[in-house]
Amino acid sequence: ETGVTQSPTHLIKTRGQQVTLRCSSQSGHNTVSWYQQALGQGPQFIFQYYREEENGRGNFPPRFSGLQFPNYSSELNVNALELDDSALYLCASSLGESGGEQYFGPGTRLTVT
Amino acid sequence: QKEVEQNSGPLSVPEGAIASLNCTYSDRGSQSFFWYRQYSGKSPELIMSIYSNGDKEDGRFTAQLNKASQYVSLLIRDSQPSDSATYLCAVTDFGNEKLTFGTGTRLTIIP
């Protein structure tokens, strides 16, 4: 069984740039959720994709957007990067729409300078 | 605003003792409860899930849920130095897709 993978591991961007983060879900899982974790805080929900459709969104601005592909992998795109976007971005996969166990990938550490 | 509250710690426990981690949540509609372990610089790892009132045991870990008191706890028996980590409590509502996390409790096991 293949676990959740994310790429890249680390990324440094300049304020105003755009970034794309990628996630492959655990085999057999059809749902991907994205979270942002600032230092010393718990992860904050960005959005979830279920069968290629957005299935809920947290309190994040529209410059955070995403996609899910037919193989259930997913992308998180962030436009017009701000310094406060510096964080660990986590992808979690699960089976089904809601309430189930979510398994996290290793994360992408984004630094915005 | 739904909230999940945890004591940030640090909580120091001697090796071999029982570590007790606590979490309260504000939304009575919460249905699913999870404990994640996060080592420094790593991603959260799911260690326990609990959905109904009472105790659930898995090896050295026991999760306890009391919906009337809106309280969920995690007990770690025979604590080992490798248990030193931040423990995150998370909840979801029925039909709700997102995990709402507490800020985590930092646990240190003292050899």
Side-chain angles (χ1 to χ4, degrees), chain A residues 32-34 45-50 53-59 97, chain B residues 95-98:
Chain A
V32 171
S33 304
W34 286 92
F45 176 75
I46 302 175
F47 42 57
Q48 183 185 79
Y49 281 86
Y50 171 65
E53 297 288 331
E54 187 178 289
N55 183 44
R57 187 179 182 91
N59 189 26
E97 286 185 85
Chain B
N96 187 324
E97 57 290 333
K98 75 174 187 179

Side-chain angles (χ1 to χ4, degrees), chain A residues 33 35 37 40-43 45 48 55-57 88 90 97-107, chain B residues 32 34 36 38 41-46 49 51 56 88 92-99 101-103:
Chain A
S33 304
Y35 293 83
Q37 187 176 25
Q41 301 297 315
F45 176 75
Q48 183 185 79
N55 183 44
R57 187 179 182 91
L88 180 66
L90 297 160
E97 286 185 85
S98 63
E101 296 177 345
Q102 297 186 22
Y103 297 89
F104 285 90
Chain B
S32 304
F34 306 92
Y36 286 83
Q38 187 172 27
K42 302 296 185 181
S43 64
E45 174 191 8
L46 180 65
S49 58
Y51 302 95
K56 179 181 178 183
L88 295 162
T92 64
D93 302 337
F94 180 77
N96 187 324
E97 57 290 333
K98 75 174 187 179
L99 288 168
F101 283 88
T103 55

Side-chain angles (χ1 to χ4, degrees), chain B residues 52-109:
Chain B
S52 56
N53 279 329
D55 294 0
K56 179 181 178 183
E57 186 174 320
D58 184 0
R60 296 186 297 111
F61 299 99
T62 298
Q64 300 174 317
L65 175 60
N66 183 327
K67 289 187 177 180
S69 300
Q70 296 176 238
Y71 177 90
V72 58
S73 65
L74 179 70
L75 301 178
I76 307 174
R77 290 182 300 281
D78 188 23
S79 296
Q80 302 297 310
S82 60
D83 295 326
S84 297
T86 295
Y87 288 80
L88 295 162
C89 173
V91 306
T92 64
D93 302 337
F94 180 77
N96 187 324
E97 57 290 333
K98 75 174 187 179
L99 288 168
T100 300
F101 283 88
T103 55
T105 297
R106 187 154 54 94
L107 174 66
T108 300
I109 306 302

